[in-house]
Amino acid sequence: MIKTVITLLLLQKNNCNRLIVMRYWDTEVINSVAGQERKKFLSKKQIIKFLYRHGTLSSAELTKLIRLSTPTTLAYLNELVDEGYIENRGKGDSIGGRRPNMYGLVKNSVY
């Protein structure tokens, strides 16, 4: 049986260099997570995937892409920011209304 393991390696600089390994997991691990935790895990995986493919996206664009509510998407984004996988890149451009918060993968990282 061939197991597909996708790894995301992030090299971050805080006070010292450290390597964070996030496994987007083999089939045994993903099958062991059930219910709400599995949905949350897969949604966070989608966010990271879209940010990898598209670069910088607003929270509204991510909400449309992953088809979740705005509060849920913002909660997942905040968790990923706290975990150190993505970063808030400031405000985006607007043609009217509030300027959106832009998110992207952590800069100076190895993927």
Side-chain angles (χ1 to χ4, degrees):
M1 169 187 265
I2 298 174
K3 295 180 182 177
T4 303
V5 179
I6 302 170
T7 58
L8 175 62
L9 301 175
L10 301 175
L11 181 62
Q12 296 182 322
K13 292 183 179 179
N14 292 339
N15 293 336
C16 59
N17 290 341
R18 72 175 201 219
L19 184 66
I20 300 173
V21 178
M22 184 172 163
R23 290 180 67 190
Y24 283 116
W25 307 34
D26 60 35
T27 55
E28 289 177 17
V29 175
I30 201 163
N31 289 335
S32 69
V33 179
Q36 194 66 21
E37 286 299 317
R38 180 182 173 129
K39 184 176 180 180
K40 184 177 184 177
F41 172 79
L42 292 174
S43 295
K44 285 182 173 182
K45 180 180 173 181
Q46 278 188 319
I47 290 171
I48 291 172
K49 180 174 66 173
F50 283 122
L51 289 174
Y52 180 76
R53 287 184 181 167
H54 299 287
T56 303
L57 292 172
S58 70
S59 56
E61 291 169 328
L62 282 166
T63 298
K64 289 179 185 175
L65 288 171
I66 64 174
R67 297 180 182 154
L68 290 176
S69 69
T70 302
T72 302
T73 303
L74 289 174
Y76 293 161
L77 285 170
N78 289 331
E79 287 177 18
L80 288 167
V81 168
D82 291 341
E83 293 168 4
Y85 298 117
I86 66 171
E87 64 184 359
N88 188 336
R89 295 205 177 153
K91 300 286 185 178
D93 295 332
S94 175
I95 49 177
R98 183 181 293 182
R99 293 175 34 190
N101 288 327
M102 304 301 288
Y103 294 92
L105 295 175
V106 174
K107 291 183 179 180
N108 300 323
S109 299
V110 179
Y111 301 103

